[in-house]
Amino acid sequence: LYAWDQAFESLYTHINWLEPQVLLTNNIDLTRKLHIIQAHLLHYQSLLQDFQKSVEFLHKTPNPALDSDDYSPNERKDTMELMAKECANLLSEIGRLEDRRLMLSSRLKNVTDLAFAIVNIDDSKQMKAPTEATYNTDKFYTSTDRVIVRTCSQYSKGLTSYS
């Protein structure tokens, strides 16, 4: 469990480092790093689920070694109570780790969405300049020029449809 805490702490620190990087730069490569971290979190989710299933199995399944005559009824009772207590503790810790994993995943999703939003805003700004240039050029056309452009456009469409 200590190793899980260390792994999540390391991921938390790394996500906190990446967040300002995303804000300060328009680097699409950062999204790759974010997706790699998301892949790790999904892998951890799978491992936590497997760990939880193992602990639940131990909790529900009686220990066949305790059925031998080597153990007194009191020893069996104490061992089963201790096993139930330890399994409950482990399940509680697994739940805590899963909550932390979900928090990291949500935070990571927020940073990833932010990265894509910044890229989209910058792309929109870059597309605005050609749009404005086209609009401003259109102001200089007379009505006759527009008819000629439309006619040429229709004529070229006609040529391409017959070829």
Side-chain angles (χ1 to χ4, degrees):
L1 293 174
Y2 182 70
W4 285 92
D5 279 327
Q6 284 183 324
F8 285 148
E9 186 62 34
S10 178
L11 282 172
Y12 179 77
T13 302
H14 194 62
I15 291 169
N16 282 342
W17 178 83
L18 281 172
E19 191 170 17
Q21 301 301 315
V22 168
L23 285 170
L24 297 174
T25 64
N26 181 9
N27 187 352
I28 196 71
D29 293 331
L30 290 175
T31 59
R32 288 188 190 105
K33 290 181 181 182
L34 297 171
H35 283 290
I36 289 169
I37 294 171
Q38 185 63 35
H40 287 302
L41 287 172
L42 289 173
H43 180 66
Y44 291 156
Q45 178 184 20
S46 173
L47 292 175
L48 277 172
Q49 287 172 345
D50 290 344
F51 188 32
Q52 181 177 0
K53 287 176 187 175
S54 297
V55 173
E56 287 172 350
F57 174 79
L58 289 174
H59 184 66
K60 293 175 186 173
T61 307
N63 185 350
L66 293 176
D67 290 339
S68 76
D69 293 333
D70 295 339
Y71 297 101
S72 70
N74 269 349
E75 289 175 320
R76 285 186 195 121
K77 180 183 171 228
D78 291 345
T79 302
M80 291 186 346
E81 286 174 358
L82 180 63
M83 181 63 94
K85 180 181 173 185
E86 289 302 316
C87 287
N89 288 339
L90 283 173
L91 290 172
S92 172
E93 287 297 309
I94 291 168
R96 181 186 62 78
L97 289 170
E98 178 58 20
D99 289 344
R100 188 151 187 211
R101 189 202 63 78
L102 284 171
M103 183 270 305
L104 287 172
S105 187
S106 295
R107 187 170 181 123
L108 185 66
K109 183 183 180 330
N110 187 39
V111 174
T112 304
D113 290 347
L114 177 64
F116 282 120
I118 289 171
V119 169
N120 286 338
I121 289 169
D122 287 345
D123 287 349
S124 295
K125 286 178 183 176
Q126 290 174 0
M127 289 305 295
K128 186 177 179 182
T131 303
E132 287 176 351
T134 304
Y135 175 75
N136 291 335
T137 307
D138 193 40
K139 289 180 183 177
F140 297 110
Y141 286 134
T142 64
S143 60
T144 308
D145 293 334
R146 288 191 185 97
V147 170
I148 291 171
V149 168
R150 246 184 261 124
T151 306
C152 290
S153 174
Q154 290 169 349
Y155 178 73
S156 66
K157 285 180 186 173
L159 286 178
T160 57
S161 65
Y162 291 113
S163 40

